[in-house]
Amino acid sequence: VLIDLVLALALWEFFGLVRKYGAVRYSLTLGAVLGLPWIWCYRNDWILAYLVLAVLLLLSWSVFATRDMQTGFPSAAGNLLALFYLGIPMSILGLLQEAQALELLLILITIWMTDTAAYFVGKFWGRHKITPAISPSKSLEGYLAGFAAAALTVPVYSYFLLPSWSVLFSVLTGVVLGVLGTIGDLFESVLKRGAGIKDSSNLIPGHGGILDRIDSLLFAFPSYYLLRISLLAS
């Protein structure tokens, strides 16, 4: 229920954002995205058919509802992006319920450490701007500091709280979370810059919206889940 609440708020912000691109929100999308976590958690044998059917219906509805390809294509892209960008990562968070609470806390702390290190190092020592068109304040020095912070945070955390983890897995997890979390942040920055807005909403005064808070996590959850089932479980 909590996942669906966060997802609903994120969807509201997301469609407010992609409306700037000419996309029209469909009620069908809301149902498909909000239903995805429940299907994935309780009937995961249905998930492939569910996703294929959702994609086909959304594409069809984009054509039938607009009858105008200039509007239909942006709407199809926006609604499909909602399914894959928001629905799938938040559904994977539901799958991570089988993980220890300490693992979920680790993801949150690692992303926070990555962002914090990148911000302060970039602010005081950042000289080389490598993404000026996307996020002018970000620098190479900041990015590297963020990656280093992530690569150090996970081994230190796991040493005390997840002692069964190997050093190699801990470092790999830190690097992957740091890099993918940063990509998630940049991806949302691209969407916002293209839409001409600074924050996804003002839902959280002084901190933007829900999307601004979870942008890195949307990439971190799937990456950690993949590492967990492919390496940790083995």
Side-chain angles (χ1 to χ4, degrees), residues 70-102:
Q70 289 186 331
T71 305
F73 279 123
S75 295
N79 284 270
L80 288 176
L81 189 56
L83 181 66
F84 286 94
Y85 175 53
L86 296 175
I88 291 179
M90 292 302 290
S91 298
I92 289 175
L93 173 59
L95 295 180
L96 285 172
Q97 291 176 1
E98 67 185 41
Q100 298 182 48
L102 289 173

Side-chain angles (χ1 to χ4, degrees), residues 101-103 105-106 109 152-162:
L102 289 173
E103 293 177 52
L105 180 61
L106 172 61
I109 291 175
L152 289 172
T153 297
V154 177
V156 171
Y157 182 100
S158 63
Y159 178 81
F160 291 102
L161 298 176
L162 297 167

Side-chain angles (χ1 to χ4, degrees), residues 7-145:
L7 192 49
L9 292 172
L11 280 168
W12 170 67
E13 294 179 350
F14 175 79
F15 278 109
L17 192 158
V18 296
R19 189 180 301 120
K20 307 285 187 179
Y21 293 92
V24 176
R25 181 190 66 196
Y26 302 136
S27 298
L28 175 64
T29 305
L30 301 182
V33 174
L34 294 176
L36 186 56
W38 297 93
I39 295 292
W40 211 324
C41 285
Y42 297 107
R43 289 306 303 260
N44 58 15
D45 53 322
W46 292 4
I47 194 62
L48 180 59
Y50 183 91
L51 285 173
V52 170
L53 183 60
V55 169
L56 292 175
L57 288 175
L58 288 174
L59 288 173
S60 301
W61 191 257
S62 298
V63 175
F64 299 152
T66 61
R67 299 183 183 180
D68 174 9
M69 289 298 98
Q70 289 186 331
T71 305
F73 279 123
S75 295
N79 284 270
L80 288 176
L81 189 56
L83 181 66
F84 286 94
Y85 175 53
L86 296 175
I88 291 179
M90 292 302 290
S91 298
I92 289 175
L93 173 59
L95 295 180
L96 285 172
Q97 291 176 1
E98 67 185 41
Q100 298 182 48
L102 289 173
E103 293 177 52
L104 297 177
L105 180 61
L106 172 61
I107 298 173
L108 298 177
I109 291 175
T110 303
I111 293 300
W112 181 78
M113 289 295 292
T114 301
D115 291 344
T116 301
Y119 173 77
F120 282 107
V121 171
K123 180 178 181 179
F124 293 106
W125 295 286
R127 296 291 181 270
H128 301 87
K129 308 297 183 182
I130 60 173
T131 55
I134 300 173
S135 189
S137 62
K138 303 291 178 64
S139 67
L140 174 62
E141 292 82 1
Y143 287 133
L144 293 177

Side-chain angles (χ1 to χ4, degrees), residues 6 9-10 12-13 198-214:
V6 173
L9 292 172
W12 170 67
E13 294 179 350
K198 182 178 183 294
D199 297 319
S200 59
S201 77
N202 58 359
L203 195 62
I204 308 173
H207 295 278
I210 294 293
L211 268 181
D212 298 318
R213 297 298 92 203
I214 67 171

